[in-house]
Each structure stands twice: as structure tokens, then as C-alpha cells.
Amino acid sequence: MAVDNKKGQERDELHRAIWAIADELRGAVDGWDFKNYVLGTMFYRYISEHITAAVNDNEHGAGNEEFDYTTMKDKDAKSAKEGLVESIGFFIPPSELFCNVLKKCDNDENLNETLEKVFRHIEESSKGSASEGDFAGLFDDFDVNSNKLGSTVAKRNKTLAKLLHGVADMKLGDVQDHDIDAFGDAYEYLMTMYASNAGKSGGEFFTPSDVSELLTRLGTVGKKKINKVYDPACGSGSLLLKAEKVLGKDAIRQGFFGQEINITTYNLCRINMFLHGIGFEKFDIACENTLISPQHWDDEPFELIVSNPPYSIKWEGDDNPLLINDPRFSPAGVLAPKSKADLAFIMHALSWLAPNGTAAIVCFPGILYRGGAEKKIRKYLVDNNYVDCIIQLPSNLFFGTSIATCIMVMKKGKTDNKTLFIDASEEFVKVTNNNRLTDENIDNIVEIFANRKNKKHVSRLVPYKEIEENDYNLSVSTYVEAKDTREKVDIVKLNAEIKEIVAKENQLRKEIDKIIADIEGSGTAEKPNHQGNSGK
């Protein structure tokens, strides 16, 4: 317990330091934009320490205990470049390491150019190697010449120097001790803070940690290992990485796969992989439109698919005549509406799901009950027994929207022809402006899901026939009766109380009337005879 408390204190200290430097540096810059600089600098520090540790470990193991890569001359280090790129995916000469650029940054009048050169060299070092795709364009969003950093070169360099010092002061652990959790934790903290401050513009790229954990737990019930994990709308990669946290890095045998349409978020996702210690050979993140141009045909099927795709976005739909024949969408015989691509993501995930796999996907509630093409797709899913469970989540879990979303869990190898419906709308705690799922909330939901049993007002295992009779409506409220939270009233007791109150009221009225009559009577007797006086 003492160790956990110490870790908690260190984490809190790290979070305060991160937010302080981010807050100081961003100035008038929108936080969601400025995160690219903070996270990019953290990444630069991480890979600098990573390559230093790799070289030093090798030399120390060979008996050269005094060796230090950071003090080595660039020309002497070049001989190791090929081997390093092959093993860790990149190369940084000693003079361009984070620690050495940091030492000179306050007096470097060309710091912006120095950093631009360093980042270009890192990306170029991987060209022609297996890691080329993972490093290409990785620093594109780190614009050292942006006016967001300052109106002049001198002001920009001053900001960049502050950034380097700020990240250097963060207690991120020692890569040599393989203590890289701090890097990943720092990344997640920054993303959470920026997303909560950026509203929808940030929230659409980031799935809160508690929701990520729930999805992954649902998708891995009864499993200790999976072949690979996939997210068709991976954002910054938080869902993919939860699989590593829940199962362990070695439990994902063939790695992490994802696709993201937004290039800034795509770069963040790759950085996130590295910061969490995932080697370039263990992840494959692509930047393209998943629905129109999926990039992982050769990698499917996937044993675990977790996703929080964008809600009700537009797509080509039946404007593109090729899509109805696409093997991902054609089995349903109809395409998701052009104005609402939600079920296109569902069909895509189902198509790439392994026979023994599980897909857990966050859904906009409308797709569960709307008619038209969406109803036809639901009919296909239910008729073929792919829908394993629908979970109603609490409202206000996500940044930028208060909508109460749902989770659809799909399997291809179900052992029964029933669908479990769970009302988890009360499983939350309120934290500032948002609701959150605690560990206990997550445990409760997963336990109900795993047990697959009826629980009054909470869960119900519904046979296929009943769903068919309900016109393929998959809303949880259709099948799970909500608990009546209204106050129960004893009518007999209430009537007796009212009768007693009325009786008391009547008695009071009688007493008041008597008092008034007495006062009026007394007043008449004492009234002076003005007429008699005037006659004198």
C-alpha cells in the first residue's frame, strides 16, 4: 500500500508539473493546438533517452562501464547507425540528443532551425527501413516557425527554450530502468486535460480512460491472450493501448492496428505508441478514411476490436456505387444512410472480426431504434445472431457531449440465440462537469456482462423472437424495465391525515369566527351616541 501511495504522490506531482508548464507556455494559444508542442517535446526527450540507453547498455555489457553515448562525437557514432535503425527504428547522433540541445538552447539564436533540423534527421534516419512508415511525418505538427509560439524569431526561440526546460524538469523516470509508464501516464493526463478544456474539438479525438477500460474489459472477458487489437477510428490510440494495460504487453501477440482520418491525431497516435513503449514492429497505424479506403485488409481478422467512432458523420453511402458490393457492407443488402455513417463502422468492424473475437463499440443511441436502412442493418445483425449485448451508459461521460451513449458488443461465435441488455445508466460518479466510471462501476458492468443473467431493473437476456416482435428495436429501455424511483404513497394513511387536517381547520375557523363575533359585539356596546350630543 505504501508503494501505491508513493506512486500516487509521484503521479500527482508529475501532473501538476505538466499542467504548470503547459499553462505557462500556451499563453493565448488554444490548449488543444498547443498540446502538439508539449507532447512532441516529450516524445523527443523519450526517444533521445531510449537510444542513449540502448547504446549505453550495449557498451556497458561489453565491459566499457565508463561509456556515455551523450558525450560521444557524431562521427564516431555513425558506425552504429545501421544497427540502431534496425533494432529500435531510428537514429539520433549525440549532438542532436534532447539533453545536448537543451544545454545550448538558451544561447542558441537559431534554436528553431536547430530543432527543425533535428526532427528532420530523426524522420530521415528511418527511410528505407521497416520503421519508415512509423516515423514519416511524425513531427509535422511541431511547427517551430509558427506565430503561435511568438511574433518574432527571438520570441519563438524563447518559448521553445522554455518548452525544452519544462519537459526536462518533468519527472518522467529513467528509461534505463525501463520506467516508461510515466511517459505514457503524462501523455494520457495531458490529453485528458486538453480534451476537457477544448470541448468537442478535443473530445472527438479522445476516449476517456474509464470508457476505454470498460470496452477493453468487455472485449477480453475470459481471455488472457489475443492475436491483435484493432480500432477503425483510433484517434490518439487510447483504446488500443488499454488492451496492453488490461492484458499485458506480451499478451497481444501480433500487435496493435488502427486507422485515423485526421493527420494531427494520427501523428499523436504514433507518438503515443512510442511513449507507451510499443516498438515500431508491434504497431501499424494508418492515415486514411476507414470506410472508403481501409488500410488493413492484409491484417484482418482481429480477435479484439474496440472503437468509439465519430457519431452521425456524413459519408458517401449509396452515392458511391462501389460500396454496395464492398464485402464489408454487402451482406446487409443496404448501406448506412449518407447522413449517418454509424452503422457503416459497425458493419466494417463485424467484417474484420475473427470467428473467436469480440468487438465492443460505442454507439450513438439513435442507431438502435431508427427506421429505414438502419433498421434493415439491425435486422441483418440480429437475424445472424451477431449482437451479443447492448449496454446503456450514463450520460455526460464524454468531453464535448452530454448524450447518454451505448455500447454494442458483437461476436461471431455466440453459444446462444439471445441478446443481453444492460441498463448501466446509474453506474457513475459525478466529477466536476462530467460523469465518470469508477473501478467499481466498471467491475459491476463487466460482471453482469460475463454472467449473462437477468437482474431486475438492470439486465435481461432477451430471445431472438422477442426482438423480432419489437421490430428489431435494440434500445435497452425496450427490454429492461426502469426502476420506479417515485416516492410510494400510502393512500389510506394520506386520506386519514387529510381528514384530520380538515377537521382541525374547521375547528380553527369556528374559534376564529367566535373571536371575531366577540370583538364586534364589544365594539357596538361602547360606541358613543354622536346624535344625542349634537342635539344639545
Side-chain angles (χ1 to χ4, degrees), residues 378-402:
R378 288 199 306 274
K379 182 179 187 303
Y380 164 76
L381 296 173
V382 174
D383 285 350
N384 288 276
N385 200 27
Y386 293 134
V387 183
D388 185 62
C389 182
I390 303 290
I391 302 170
Q392 176 65 60
L393 293 175
S395 61
N396 209 27
L397 285 179
F398 295 87
F399 302 114
T401 179
S402 60

Short mmCIF file of all heavy atoms in Angstrom, two decimals, residues 378-402:
data_model
loop_
_atom_site.label_atom_id
_atom_site.label_comp_id
_atom_site.label_asym_id
_atom_site.label_seq_id
_atom_site.Cartn_x
_atom_site.Cartn_y
_atom_site.Cartn_z
N ARG A 378 -29.84 -3.48 -38.71
CA ARG A 378 -30.06 -4.13 -37.41
C ARG A 378 -30.68 -5.51 -37.60
O ARG A 378 -30.33 -6.48 -36.90
CB ARG A 378 -30.99 -3.27 -36.54
CG ARG A 378 -30.38 -2.02 -35.99
CD ARG A 378 -31.17 -1.48 -34.79
NE ARG A 378 -32.58 -1.30 -35.07
CZ ARG A 378 -33.12 -0.21 -35.62
NH1 ARG A 378 -32.35 0.80 -35.98
NH2 ARG A 378 -34.43 -0.12 -35.80
N LYS A 379 -31.62 -5.61 -38.52
CA LYS A 379 -32.28 -6.90 -38.81
C LYS A 379 -31.24 -7.93 -39.25
O LYS A 379 -31.24 -9.08 -38.78
CB LYS A 379 -33.34 -6.73 -39.91
CG LYS A 379 -34.12 -8.01 -40.23
CD LYS A 379 -35.16 -7.73 -41.31
CE LYS A 379 -36.07 -8.94 -41.54
NZ LYS A 379 -35.35 -10.17 -41.91
N TYR A 380 -30.32 -7.50 -40.10
CA TYR A 380 -29.25 -8.40 -40.55
C TYR A 380 -28.41 -8.86 -39.36
O TYR A 380 -28.10 -10.05 -39.21
CB TYR A 380 -28.37 -7.70 -41.59
CG TYR A 380 -27.05 -8.39 -41.82
CD1 TYR A 380 -26.99 -9.56 -42.58
CD2 TYR A 380 -25.88 -7.91 -41.24
CE1 TYR A 380 -25.78 -10.22 -42.78
CE2 TYR A 380 -24.68 -8.56 -41.43
CZ TYR A 380 -24.62 -9.72 -42.19
OH TYR A 380 -23.43 -10.37 -42.37
N LEU A 381 -28.05 -7.92 -38.50
CA LEU A 381 -27.20 -8.24 -37.34
C LEU A 381 -27.89 -9.20 -36.39
O LEU A 381 -27.28 -10.16 -35.90
CB LEU A 381 -26.82 -6.95 -36.60
CG LEU A 381 -25.95 -5.93 -37.35
CD1 LEU A 381 -25.81 -4.65 -36.53
CD2 LEU A 381 -24.58 -6.51 -37.67
N VAL A 382 -29.18 -8.96 -36.13
CA VAL A 382 -29.92 -9.80 -35.19
C VAL A 382 -30.25 -11.16 -35.80
O VAL A 382 -30.10 -12.20 -35.15
CB VAL A 382 -31.21 -9.08 -34.73
CG1 VAL A 382 -32.07 -10.01 -33.86
CG2 VAL A 382 -30.87 -7.80 -33.96
N ASP A 383 -30.71 -11.17 -37.05
CA ASP A 383 -31.06 -12.43 -37.72
C ASP A 383 -29.88 -13.38 -37.78
O ASP A 383 -30.05 -14.61 -37.75
CB ASP A 383 -31.58 -12.16 -39.14
CG ASP A 383 -33.00 -11.60 -39.15
OD1 ASP A 383 -33.64 -11.60 -38.08
OD2 ASP A 383 -33.46 -11.15 -40.21
N ASN A 384 -28.68 -12.83 -37.89
CA ASN A 384 -27.49 -13.66 -37.99
C ASN A 384 -26.79 -13.86 -36.64
O ASN A 384 -25.68 -14.39 -36.60
CB ASN A 384 -26.52 -13.06 -39.01
CG ASN A 384 -27.01 -13.23 -40.43
OD1 ASN A 384 -26.80 -14.27 -41.06
ND2 ASN A 384 -27.67 -12.20 -40.95
N ASN A 385 -27.47 -13.39 -35.57
CA ASN A 385 -27.00 -13.66 -34.21
C ASN A 385 -25.61 -13.08 -33.91
O ASN A 385 -24.79 -13.71 -33.24
CB ASN A 385 -27.00 -15.17 -33.94
CG ASN A 385 -27.01 -15.47 -32.44
OD1 ASN A 385 -27.50 -14.68 -31.63
ND2 ASN A 385 -26.46 -16.62 -32.07
N TYR A 386 -25.36 -11.87 -34.40
CA TYR A 386 -24.07 -11.22 -34.15
C TYR A 386 -24.09 -10.30 -32.93
O TYR A 386 -23.05 -9.98 -32.38
CB TYR A 386 -23.64 -10.40 -35.36
CG TYR A 386 -23.30 -11.24 -36.59
CD1 TYR A 386 -23.80 -10.88 -37.85
CD2 TYR A 386 -22.50 -12.36 -36.49
CE1 TYR A 386 -23.49 -11.63 -38.98
CE2 TYR A 386 -22.18 -13.13 -37.61
CZ TYR A 386 -22.68 -12.75 -38.85
OH TYR A 386 -22.38 -13.49 -39.96
N VAL A 387 -25.29 -9.84 -32.52
CA VAL A 387 -25.36 -8.88 -31.41
C VAL A 387 -25.36 -9.64 -30.09
O VAL A 387 -26.32 -10.33 -29.76
CB VAL A 387 -26.61 -7.99 -31.52
CG1 VAL A 387 -26.62 -6.95 -30.39
CG2 VAL A 387 -26.65 -7.28 -32.88
N ASP A 388 -24.30 -9.51 -29.35
CA ASP A 388 -24.15 -10.23 -28.09
C ASP A 388 -24.76 -9.45 -26.92
O ASP A 388 -25.38 -10.03 -26.04
CB ASP A 388 -22.67 -10.48 -27.82
CG ASP A 388 -22.44 -11.34 -26.59
OD1 ASP A 388 -22.90 -12.49 -26.60
OD2 ASP A 388 -21.81 -10.86 -25.63
N CYS A 389 -24.55 -8.13 -26.92
CA CYS A 389 -25.01 -7.33 -25.79
C CYS A 389 -25.14 -5.86 -26.19
O CYS A 389 -24.36 -5.36 -27.00
CB CYS A 389 -24.00 -7.46 -24.64
SG CYS A 389 -24.45 -6.56 -23.14
N ILE A 390 -26.15 -5.20 -25.60
CA ILE A 390 -26.29 -3.75 -25.73
C ILE A 390 -26.27 -3.17 -24.31
O ILE A 390 -27.02 -3.64 -23.44
CB ILE A 390 -27.61 -3.34 -26.42
CG1 ILE A 390 -27.73 -3.98 -27.81
CG2 ILE A 390 -27.72 -1.82 -26.51
CD1 ILE A 390 -26.78 -3.44 -28.85
N ILE A 391 -25.41 -2.18 -24.08
CA ILE A 391 -25.27 -1.59 -22.75
C ILE A 391 -25.61 -0.10 -22.81
O ILE A 391 -25.01 0.64 -23.60
CB ILE A 391 -23.84 -1.77 -22.20
CG1 ILE A 391 -23.47 -3.26 -22.15
CG2 ILE A 391 -23.69 -1.12 -20.83
CD1 ILE A 391 -22.00 -3.51 -21.86
N GLN A 392 -26.55 0.31 -22.01
CA GLN A 392 -26.88 1.74 -21.88
C GLN A 392 -25.93 2.38 -20.88
O GLN A 392 -25.90 1.99 -19.72
CB GLN A 392 -28.33 1.91 -21.41
CG GLN A 392 -28.73 3.36 -21.16
CD GLN A 392 -28.73 4.18 -22.42
OE1 GLN A 392 -29.45 3.88 -23.37
NE2 GLN A 392 -27.91 5.23 -22.45
N LEU A 393 -25.14 3.34 -21.34
CA LEU A 393 -24.18 4.01 -20.47
C LEU A 393 -24.81 5.25 -19.81
O LEU A 393 -25.83 5.76 -20.28
CB LEU A 393 -22.96 4.44 -21.28
CG LEU A 393 -22.07 3.33 -21.84
CD1 LEU A 393 -20.98 3.93 -22.71
CD2 LEU A 393 -21.45 2.51 -20.70
N PRO A 394 -24.19 5.76 -18.76
CA PRO A 394 -24.66 7.02 -18.17
C PRO A 394 -24.45 8.18 -19.15
O PRO A 394 -23.65 8.08 -20.08
CB PRO A 394 -23.75 7.20 -16.94
CG PRO A 394 -23.16 5.85 -16.68
CD PRO A 394 -23.06 5.18 -18.01
N SER A 395 -25.15 9.27 -18.93
CA SER A 395 -24.95 10.46 -19.75
C SER A 395 -23.67 11.18 -19.33
O SER A 395 -23.10 10.90 -18.27
CB SER A 395 -26.14 11.41 -19.61
OG SER A 395 -26.27 11.82 -18.26
N ASN A 396 -23.22 12.10 -20.19
CA ASN A 396 -22.13 13.03 -19.84
C ASN A 396 -20.81 12.36 -19.48
O ASN A 396 -20.07 12.82 -18.62
CB ASN A 396 -22.58 13.91 -18.66
CG ASN A 396 -21.92 15.27 -18.68
OD1 ASN A 396 -21.55 15.77 -19.74
ND2 ASN A 396 -21.76 15.88 -17.53
N LEU A 397 -20.49 11.25 -20.16
CA LEU A 397 -19.20 10.58 -19.94
C LEU A 397 -18.10 11.12 -20.83
O LEU A 397 -16.92 11.01 -20.52
CB LEU A 397 -19.33 9.07 -20.21
CG LEU A 397 -20.05 8.20 -19.18
CD1 LEU A 397 -20.09 6.76 -19.66
CD2 LEU A 397 -19.38 8.28 -17.81
N PHE A 398 -18.50 11.71 -21.97
CA PHE A 398 -17.52 12.12 -22.97
C PHE A 398 -17.36 13.64 -23.00
O PHE A 398 -18.31 14.37 -22.75
CB PHE A 398 -17.95 11.63 -24.36
CG PHE A 398 -17.96 10.14 -24.48
CD1 PHE A 398 -19.07 9.40 -24.12
CD2 PHE A 398 -16.85 9.46 -24.95
CE1 PHE A 398 -19.08 8.02 -24.22
CE2 PHE A 398 -16.85 8.07 -25.06
CZ PHE A 398 -17.97 7.35 -24.69
N PHE A 399 -16.17 14.08 -23.36
CA PHE A 399 -15.92 15.50 -23.49
C PHE A 399 -16.68 16.05 -24.70
O PHE A 399 -16.65 15.47 -25.77
CB PHE A 399 -14.42 15.76 -23.67
CG PHE A 399 -13.58 15.23 -22.55
CD1 PHE A 399 -12.68 14.20 -22.76
CD2 PHE A 399 -13.70 15.75 -21.27
CE1 PHE A 399 -11.92 13.70 -21.71
CE2 PHE A 399 -12.94 15.25 -20.23
CZ PHE A 399 -12.05 14.23 -20.45
N GLY A 400 -17.36 17.17 -24.49
CA GLY A 400 -18.00 17.83 -25.63
C GLY A 400 -19.40 17.37 -25.93
O GLY A 400 -20.05 17.91 -26.82
N THR A 401 -19.90 16.34 -25.24
CA THR A 401 -21.29 15.91 -25.45
C THR A 401 -21.84 15.31 -24.17
O THR A 401 -21.13 14.62 -23.44
CB THR A 401 -21.41 14.88 -26.59
OG1 THR A 401 -22.77 14.49 -26.73
CG2 THR A 401 -20.55 13.65 -26.33
N SER A 402 -23.11 15.61 -23.88
CA SER A 402 -23.73 15.07 -22.67
C SER A 402 -24.61 13.87 -22.99
O SER A 402 -25.26 13.32 -22.11
CB SER A 402 -24.57 16.16 -21.99
OG SER A 402 -25.59 16.61 -22.87
#
